[in-house]
């Protein structure tokens, strides 16, 4: 792959669900879920980057139960994922559900193309159907299942977000057993937009976004609220991410077009607030290794790579450094935009860093365009030198 060049992979259907294959640390792989209006046509794509040849290899799995709204891979098993999807009932009404799936082995792929067999070009294979290991029974708690997220290190624990509830399931015995539940009780019963495990504090906290606020729940204390950022954004909070290397810091993005960075010990005001997008911010992601690098994606069809070095875990950050000052200090990035990516023509709903390569990331727009990109070499070398 040439420096700063991106690889584009087009899907046949619209899509908004994207996730890295967490259990694969050697190859750059991402899961993509489609949103075809014909529910039976939906698919899971497992996309692998071949960096030497500058193309992607893909395996495609039918997901005939409905359109996919989110995908969550197991942290320990490369062939296990959850999906949240919209499906049709017998009464022909739409219903949100969530299930745990096992991918078929690669040996079952249909390799009908001779060019694929010789390995001389990109490999696109149709695979057998996903095996439904179990379904999460969330129906009595609400209709809108937003995500079913694996515990960061334990493949037997899954947390589902349903309306104003978060439900912990044990899937260790190939069934989904409800073991804990929590509820946001507030005026008007606001619904959760998303939820994520906090990787710190021994993974004993779960964080949620609802309306304009972000809350953390202590799973050791009967799911009581641990902290709250009230009014984090002036409009709906779409997404947030937790700094993987600095336990009290999180980033949030919302419909006000802003990305804000918070120290949850002092939630009254953000540490940094940025307005790099002209429309809703759909996704915000810290780099897993170099947390001064943050990606944001938006309905303005743009992807922005930002530096927040002044509040990162790496010691080279310098609060208030200008671009000129940072150039004179080896290894120090100034806070601000590092790169803007405009290969998309539709709302960019998802962006994710690779687990295998800290300099590679993928973004997905609603028109089914997946773009795999690199951190610019100049930024990479400034961090490494």
């Amino acid at each position: 792959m040439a420096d700063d060049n991106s690889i584009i992979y087009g899907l046949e259907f619209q899509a908004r669900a994207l996730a890295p294959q967490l259990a694969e640390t050697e190859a750059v792989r991402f899961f993509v879920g489609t949103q075809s209006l014909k529910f039976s046509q939906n698919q899971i794509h497992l996309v692998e980057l071949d960096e030497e040849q500058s193309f992607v290899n893909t395996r495609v799995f039918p997901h005939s139960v409905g359109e996919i709204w989110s995908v969550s891979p197991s942290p320990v098993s490369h062939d296990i994922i959850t999906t949240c999807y919209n499906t049709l009932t017998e009464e022909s009404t739409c219903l949100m559900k969530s299930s745990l799936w096992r991918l078929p082995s690669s040996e079952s792929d249909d390799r009908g193309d001779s060019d694929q067999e010789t390995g001389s070009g990109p490999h696109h294979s149709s695979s057998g159907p996903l095996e439904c290991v179990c379904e999460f029974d969330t129906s009595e708690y609400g209709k809108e299942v937003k995500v079913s997220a694996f515990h960061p290190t334990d493949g037997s624990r899954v947390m589902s977000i349903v309306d104003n509830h978060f439900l912990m399931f044990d899937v260790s015995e190939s069934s989904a057993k409800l073991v804990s539940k929590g509820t946001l009780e507030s005026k008007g019963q606001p619904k959760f937009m998303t939820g994520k495990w906090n990787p710190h504090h021994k993974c004993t906290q779960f964080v949620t976004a609802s309306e304009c606020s972000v809350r953390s729940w202590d799973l050791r204390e009967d799911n009581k609220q641990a902290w709250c950022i009230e009014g984090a954004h002036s409009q709906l909070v779409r997404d947030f991410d937790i700094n993987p290397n600095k336990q009290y810091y999180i980033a949030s993005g919302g419909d006000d077009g802003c990305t804000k960075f918070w120290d949850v010990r002092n939630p009254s005001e953000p540490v940094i607030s940025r307005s790099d997008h002209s429309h809703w911010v759909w996704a915000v992601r810290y780099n897993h290794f170099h947390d001064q690098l943050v990606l944001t994606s938006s309905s303005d069809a743009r992807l922005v790579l930002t530096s927040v070095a002044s509040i990162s875990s790496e010691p080279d950050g310098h609060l208030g450094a200008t671009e000129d000052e940072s150039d004179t200090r080896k290894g120090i990035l100034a806070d601000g935009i590092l790169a803007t990516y405009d290969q998309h023509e539709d709302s960019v709903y998802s962006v994710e860093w690779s687990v295998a390569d800290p300099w590679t990331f993928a973004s997905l727009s609603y028109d089914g365009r997946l773009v795999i990109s690199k951190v610019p070499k100049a930024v990479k070398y400034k961090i490494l030198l």
Side-chain angles (χ1 to χ4, degrees):
M1 181 189 296
D3 181 31
D4 299 345
N5 286 346
S6 300
I7 292 179
I8 298 175
Y9 173 68
L11 286 80
E12 181 180 357
F13 306 116
Q14 294 171 325
R16 65 190 300 156
L18 172 68
Q21 189 178 34
L22 297 179
E24 174 55 64
T25 58
E26 299 297 326
V28 175
R29 292 178 184 168
F30 296 94
F31 288 104
V32 184
T34 66
Q35 282 199 325
S36 170
L37 294 177
K38 293 185 178 179
F39 286 178
S40 61
Q41 293 182 342
N42 282 288
Q43 304 164 335
I44 289 286
H45 292 237
L46 179 56
V47 182
E48 178 178 340
L49 172 66
D50 186 327
E51 192 166 358
E52 291 185 359
Q53 302 296 325
S54 295
F55 56 65
V56 295
N57 298 315
T58 58
R59 295 175 64 199
V60 182
F61 310 93
H63 187 277
S64 58
V65 291
E67 57 178 10
I68 303 163
W69 286 79
S70 66
V71 178
S72 178
S74 166
V76 295
S77 302
H78 72 279
D79 60 343
I80 295 292
I81 62 172
T82 68
T83 61
C84 295
Y85 53 93
N86 203 11
T87 190
L88 283 176
T89 67
E90 294 180 356
E91 294 77 24
S92 297
T93 59
C94 290
L95 178 66
M96 288 291 294
K97 290 187 175 183
S98 184
S99 296
L100 182 74
W101 307 92
R102 178 176 286 109
L103 278 61
S105 65
S106 58
E107 285 76 13
S108 64
D109 289 356
D110 177 17
R111 303 176 185 272
D113 193 304
S114 59
D115 185 48
Q116 295 170 0
E117 291 177 357
T118 61
S120 58
H123 185 118
H124 302 281
S125 64
S126 298
S127 297
L130 299 167
E131 175 192 347
C132 183
V133 179
C134 60
E135 187 176 300
F136 299 101
D137 186 6
T138 60
S139 57
E140 68 176 282
Y141 298 98
K143 297 181 179 180
E144 295 187 27
V145 190
K146 293 293 187 179
V147 65
S148 290
F150 279 97
H151 183 283
T153 59
D154 184 354
S156 69
R157 300 276 164 157
V158 174
M159 191 78 82
S160 291
I161 293 292
V162 189
D163 282 8
N164 62 326
H165 305 279
F166 53 97
L167 313 171
M168 187 192 300
F169 291 93
D170 184 336
V171 296
S172 59
E173 298 180 358
S174 298
S175 63
K177 179 182 178 182
L178 181 64
V179 294
S180 176
K181 61 182 178 180
T183 303
L184 171 61
E185 296 180 355
S186 183
K187 292 181 180 179
Q189 290 190 325
K191 297 177 180 179
F192 291 128
M193 283 300 300
T194 188
K196 297 179 182 179
W197 293 84
N198 189 334
H200 308 293
H201 313 292
K202 298 182 179 179
C203 303
T204 56
Q205 292 186 8
F206 191 75
V207 185
T208 59
S210 57
E211 293 190 333
C212 301
S213 302
V214 182
R215 289 177 172 84
S216 180
W217 309 87
D218 194 331
L219 306 179
R220 300 166 299 180
E221 299 290 336
D222 296 324
N223 298 324
K224 293 181 180 178
Q225 184 173 293
W227 52 258
C228 178
I229 306 174
E230 291 279 6
H233 290 262
S234 60
Q235 299 180 47
L236 191 69
V237 177
R238 289 284 172 181
D239 194 28
F240 65 87
D241 200 20
I242 301 163
N243 188 318
N245 306 323
K246 204 170 182 182
Q247 63 178 336
Y248 296 111
Y249 284 78
I250 73 168
S252 61
D255 283 4
D256 54 7
C258 295
T259 307
K260 298 184 180 182
F261 298 85
W262 305 88
D263 181 341
V264 300
R265 296 168 297 185
N266 181 22
S268 59
E269 60 180 352
V271 182
I272 293 175
S273 181
R274 302 193 56 83
S275 300
D276 298 325
H277 293 281
S278 60
H279 209 263
W280 303 348
V281 176
W282 277 98
V284 54
R285 290 292 182 274
Y286 279 102
N287 187 290
H288 305 302
F289 301 93
H290 307 287
D291 56 271
Q292 65 266 57
L293 301 179
V294 176
L295 288 164
T296 54
S297 66
S298 167
S299 304
D300 63 9
R302 295 166 67 243
L303 187 71
V304 175
L305 175 65
T306 305
S307 166
V308 287
S310 64
I311 57 170
S312 72
S313 64
E314 300 195 8
D316 289 330
H318 179 57
L319 187 62
T322 66
E323 191 70 43
D324 291 338
E325 289 172 340
S326 69
D327 287 342
T328 64
R329 303 178 62 190
K330 183 178 291 187
I332 297 178
L333 293 174
D335 287 359
I337 294 178
L338 299 172
T340 300
Y341 302 82
D342 55 5
Q343 296 97 330
H344 292 283
E345 298 177 356
D346 205 340
S347 295
V348 188
Y349 282 135
S350 302
V351 62
E352 297 285 353
W353 292 98
S354 165
V355 175
D357 179 9
W359 311 109
T360 301
F361 56 90
S363 53
L364 177 67
S365 51
Y366 190 55
D367 55 6
R369 177 177 294 186
L370 177 73
V371 181
I372 300 179
S373 307
K374 288 274 193 180
V375 172
K377 282 187 177 179
V379 174
K380 175 181 176 180
Y381 293 152
K382 177 156 286 193
I383 292 174
L384 293 179
L385 288 177

